[in-house]
Amino acid sequence: MLTIIGHTAEQVKDPFGILSGIRYECNLNIEVPEDDELYLENGVYVRVIFRADGDQSSIVKYDLHERFTDRYLDIDLEDEELALVEQYCREQLLKEAAGE
């Protein structure tokens, strides 16, 4: 199971107005146990496009990348890992939006 150890986030403009609400791009630094298929010596991060629209929020898209090399990893998160990422994004972005 992965552990989120930090993040960066910034609001992204939607020039085409395709999605309602506010979009964020988040990079989540994660730790992965050595016996997990996601484990890489250089580390891994998750790039997430997250949408918040009132009480509704969700992941629009996510990608996994090797830290330092920024190499794209063609691997999907398991359902419980994806739920953890979504919950983390929701909680952290709400805190940041509230100025905490």
Side-chain angles (χ1 to χ4, degrees), residues 24-52:
Y24 298 91
E25 180 176 332
C26 306
N27 289 324
L28 309 180
N29 292 317
I30 61 173
E31 282 186 348
V32 180
E34 287 187 32
D35 62 348
D36 192 302
E37 73 172 309
L38 287 177
Y39 178 81
L40 293 173
E41 189 172 316
N42 285 335
V44 178
Y45 75 91
V46 185
R47 180 181 168 269
V48 180
I49 303 298
F50 192 80
R51 181 184 67 88

Side-chain angles (χ1 to χ4, degrees), residues 82-96:
L82 190 56
L84 175 70
V85 166
E86 186 167 355
Q87 178 183 356
Y88 182 90
C89 288
R90 185 176 294 118
E91 290 173 0
Q92 293 302 315
L93 293 173
L94 290 175
K95 279 184 189 178
E96 291 175 14

Side-chain angles (χ1 to χ4, degrees), residues 59-96:
I59 292 175
V60 175
K61 179 183 179 189
Y62 75 91
D63 298 311
L64 298 167
H65 295 266
E66 182 176 16
R67 204 175 306 148
F68 303 120
T69 66
D70 203 33
R71 180 174 57 100
Y72 170 76
L73 304 172
D74 190 15
I75 301 172
D76 291 327
L77 294 174
E78 295 176 6
D79 290 343
E80 61 187 29
E81 293 170 329
L82 190 56
L84 175 70
V85 166
E86 186 167 355
Q87 178 183 356
Y88 182 90
C89 288
R90 185 176 294 118
E91 290 173 0
Q92 293 302 315
L93 293 173
L94 290 175
K95 279 184 189 178
E96 291 175 14

